[in-house]
Amino acid sequence: MAFPRTLPEESTTLPGIANVVAVSSAKGGVGKSTVAVNLALSMVRDGARVGLLDADIYGPSLPVLTGVREEPEVHDGDRIQPLHAHGMALMSMGFLAGPDAPVIWRGPLLAQAVQQFLQQVDWGQLDILLLDMPPGTGDIPLTLTQAVALSGAVVVTTPQSVALQDVERGMAMFDKVDVDILGLVENMSYYLCPHCDERHEIFGHGGGRQTAKRLDIDFLGEIPLDEAIREGGDRGTPTMLAEPDSPRGEAFATIARGVVVALAA
């Protein structure tokens, strides 16, 4: 996998990290975290050095999706050591707060936590750090776009009109802060019946591709609505670990390679 290895000095505040990419959705419930984890694992399979930051402070999902439950160590007083699993460096509020502890913080504390995850975690040398963003355009997404120079953003949607309308709002935020959109992913795009092989477009179909064309951005691909994807995430063994050569695994791999191509462009 041919990653661009360096960025101009003025464009990053994270030494040793060549590319920082936000995986974003303006609407919750579209499977953004599942997409982020499987894209990261796809890049690892292709030989990349990958970090994954779960930036959803209120609703961290990385511990469940990866099956990692340890607590990070702190060295030299304030240097947080990321957890390492499945070939990736990982960090999440879920590793620090525990599985059942709510995070009841206001905006300034959220911004401070995100800054610490970026600046005080010893990420090491990475080809790419993926930021699993919280949904919406609130404090955390804005803080992240201001705290570090992003190489670009991947936007995740589902085919419904309401989700696609929110996509445009989210893209407007990135436009205002001068972050390039690397492409759009349509999740839960269709359901393929395992008994009859008939394709069902439960939430509609093609809206993501049409939206990408209208907004003049790349359409990175479609991911099916598949029970195995959900079950794998619930078990902590995502598709790209459990079944990387399955059709759903190939869909994630194709999208991950499309992100790399967009970064190198």
Side-chain angles (χ1 to χ4, degrees):
M1 177 173 285
F3 266 91
R5 293 285 177 173
T6 59
L7 291 172
E9 184 177 353
E10 68 274 13
S11 69
T12 181
T13 58
L14 300 179
I17 300 178
N19 300 277
V20 183
V21 173
V23 182
S24 175
S25 69
K27 179 177 175 56
V30 301
K32 169 187 50 58
S33 295
T34 296
V35 171
V37 168
N38 281 287
L39 292 187
L41 289 167
S42 297
M43 294 173 181
V44 169
R45 281 178 56 85
D46 281 344
R49 299 168 297 179
V50 180
L52 180 57
L53 170 58
D54 182 353
D56 193 340
I57 304 299
Y58 287 140
S61 56
L62 199 55
V64 171
L65 290 172
T66 61
V68 177
R69 305 288 185 176
E70 292 85 2
E71 184 174 338
E73 296 181 358
V74 178
H75 295 173
D76 301 324
D78 64 352
R79 302 301 298 171
I80 305 170
Q81 305 304 304
L83 299 179
H84 291 271
H86 315 310
M88 302 181 291
L90 306 172
M91 181 52 60
S92 170
M93 179 57 74
F95 299 145
L96 300 172
D100 301 316
V103 178
I104 308 172
W105 290 350
R106 294 187 185 274
L109 288 177
L110 294 174
Q112 183 180 352
V114 170
Q115 291 273 13
Q116 287 181 314
F117 281 159
L118 287 172
Q119 305 292 347
Q120 292 180 229
V121 173
D122 283 332
W123 291 106
Q125 299 288 321
L126 298 177
D127 296 311
I128 186 166
L129 175 63
L130 291 176
L131 308 181
D132 179 13
M133 304 276 271
T137 56
D139 287 334
I140 295 177
L142 286 172
T143 296
L144 286 167
T145 59
Q146 295 165 355
V148 61
L150 296 175
S151 307
V154 174
V155 180
V156 181
T157 186
T158 51
Q160 305 101 304
S161 296
V162 64
L164 293 166
Q165 289 172 4
D166 285 338
V167 162
E168 297 194 40
R169 297 187 185 98
M171 289 178 58
M173 179 197 75
F174 286 117
D175 183 60
K176 287 182 180 297
V177 294
D178 295 323
V179 173
D180 291 335
I181 303 296
L182 301 175
L184 184 66
V185 176
E186 184 176 276
N187 193 26
M188 307 182 201
S189 183
Y190 58 89
Y191 174 72
L192 190 63
C193 177
H195 305 294
C196 65
D197 290 331
E198 185 175 349
R199 177 167 166 153
H200 302 273
E201 296 172 353
I202 296 172
F203 299 121
H205 180 71
R209 187 183 298 275
Q210 293 168 10
T211 298
K213 183 177 180 179
R214 179 165 53 82
L215 298 176
D216 194 26
I217 60 173
D218 287 340
F219 183 68
L220 295 171
E222 303 169 342
I223 300 167
L225 177 64
D226 194 309
E227 187 176 8
I229 296 176
R230 191 272 304 165
E231 289 177 342
D234 288 349
R235 290 194 307 265
T237 53
T239 294
M240 292 308 298
L241 281 180
E243 302 173 293
D245 297 321
S246 65
R248 47 195 168 272
E250 291 175 359
F252 285 119
T254 297
I255 292 167
R257 290 167 188 152
V259 173
V260 175
V261 169
L263 284 171

